[in-house]
Amino acid sequence: GQNIDQPTEMTATEGAIVQINCTYQTSGFNGLFWYQQHAGEAPTFLSYNVLDGLEEKGRFSSFLSRSKGYSYLLLKELQMKDSASYLCAVRERQNSGYALNFGKGTSLLVTP
Amino acid sequence: KAGVTQTPRYLIKTRGQQVTLSCSPISGHRSVSWYQQTPGQGLQFLFEYFSETQRNKGNFPGRFSGRQFSNSRSEMNVSTLELGDSALYLCASSLGGPNNEQFFGPGTRLTVL
């Protein structure tokens, strides 16, 4: 994940909107994923982008610009339960398969 | 449909020992990937197996190895354990295609003393 950058920590208020950015560098791009991971739990899938543009899924949206190597995850109407680590992951074509390389995650704290 | 299961959930070993971790994928999933998660390095890709063949490998030393059985269950082995191998080991299964999402198991927490 050394070529995938995202902020280490963010804080936002309940009910607000927060945007978590992710930049990446890769030669074999084959899609970008966002995962949510609560402390002590396994990552769970949030969204997937392979083409440029915005994908919306309820309170969560994800945007991708392949030419800029940039994505963001937008969380609306924040709830306390959204406090978690958000992982940006880039799938890269390698050898005969695909590797999913993760950023180090952004720890989001939602405050009352 | 049962999720991805991993055994054991917790493990304590000493330096120099070897360890084997097990992962049972979601029924019908043929791809199993293994990851190491540490606070400093985050989630790092170890390897991926598909139909009993290692399809891809990350940048880990040869002490880390794995295999996959005909029922898609996978095992990961770490030999000559080092203190730095203490981590959460996660496996994830998918159908194996390029657009398929990965479903993660709960992980095995390995502590090396």
Side-chain angles (χ1 to χ4, degrees):
Chain A
Q2 65 263 31
N3 294 327
I4 302 172
D5 291 313
Q6 48 182 134
T8 305
E9 294 177 339
M10 296 183 73
T11 302
T13 307
E14 192 176 15
I17 298 173
V18 71
Q19 178 174 312
I20 302 174
N21 296 323
C22 172
T23 57
Y24 64 88
Q25 291 179 311
T26 178
S27 56
F29 179 82
N30 198 263
L32 188 142
F33 294 78
W34 284 95
Y35 281 83
Q36 179 192 60
Q37 186 176 26
H38 284 100
E41 298 181 12
T44 55
F45 170 80
L46 287 178
S47 69
Y48 168 65
N49 296 70
V50 67
L51 299 176
D52 291 352
L54 189 68
E55 293 284 339
E56 296 188 79
K57 234 184 186 185
R59 294 190 300 115
F60 294 76
S61 302
S62 57
F63 172 83
L64 175 67
S65 169
R66 289 171 296 169
S67 62
K68 295 181 180 175
Y70 168 69
S71 173
Y72 67 73
L73 179 70
L74 194 71
L75 292 78
K76 304 174 190 173
E77 301 168 17
L78 279 172
Q79 302 174 10
M80 300 298 288
K81 67 178 182 179
D82 296 330
S83 292
S85 182
Y86 291 85
L87 306 170
C88 171
V90 174
R91 180 158 55 201
E92 300 172 277
R93 177 84 187 181
Q94 288 180 3
N95 303 319
S96 58
Y98 301 89
L100 194 60
N101 292 310
F102 285 80
K104 293 186 179 180
T106 297
S107 181
L108 174 66
L109 176 64
V110 180
T111 59
Chain B
K1 204 176 193 180
V4 179
T5 58
Q6 292 186 247
T7 57
R9 293 294 311 277
Y10 301 91
L11 204 50
I12 299 176
K13 291 284 189 179
T14 56
R15 276 182 300 176
Q17 287 187 309
Q18 69 93 27
V19 67
T20 299
L21 312 181
S22 181
C23 172
S24 292
I26 291 171
S27 177
H29 284 190
R30 294 167 65 189
S31 168
V32 173
S33 297
W34 288 90
Y35 298 87
Q36 181 195 68
Q37 187 173 34
T38 58
Q41 296 299 317
L43 258 169
Q44 293 186 286
F45 173 72
L46 281 157
F47 29 65
E48 183 211 4
Y49 285 87
F50 181 82
S51 293
E52 301 179 65
T53 301
Q54 187 181 85
R55 191 159 70 168
N56 220 331
K57 191 176 189 303
N59 297 322
F60 277 80
R63 299 186 297 109
F64 292 82
S65 63
R67 59 178 176 168
Q68 187 179 34
F69 302 95
S70 59
N71 61 358
S72 294
R73 189 178 70 85
S74 177
E75 286 182 347
M76 191 193 96
N77 186 76
V78 189
S79 62
T80 321
L81 283 166
E82 301 176 0
L83 295 179
D85 296 333
S86 294
L88 180 67
Y89 290 88
L90 292 159
C91 85
S93 78
S94 78
L95 291 170
N99 298 332
N100 299 133
E101 69 180 269
Q102 294 189 358
F103 295 85
F104 283 84
T108 294
R109 172 74 62 186
L110 172 65
T111 302
V112 182
L113 302 175

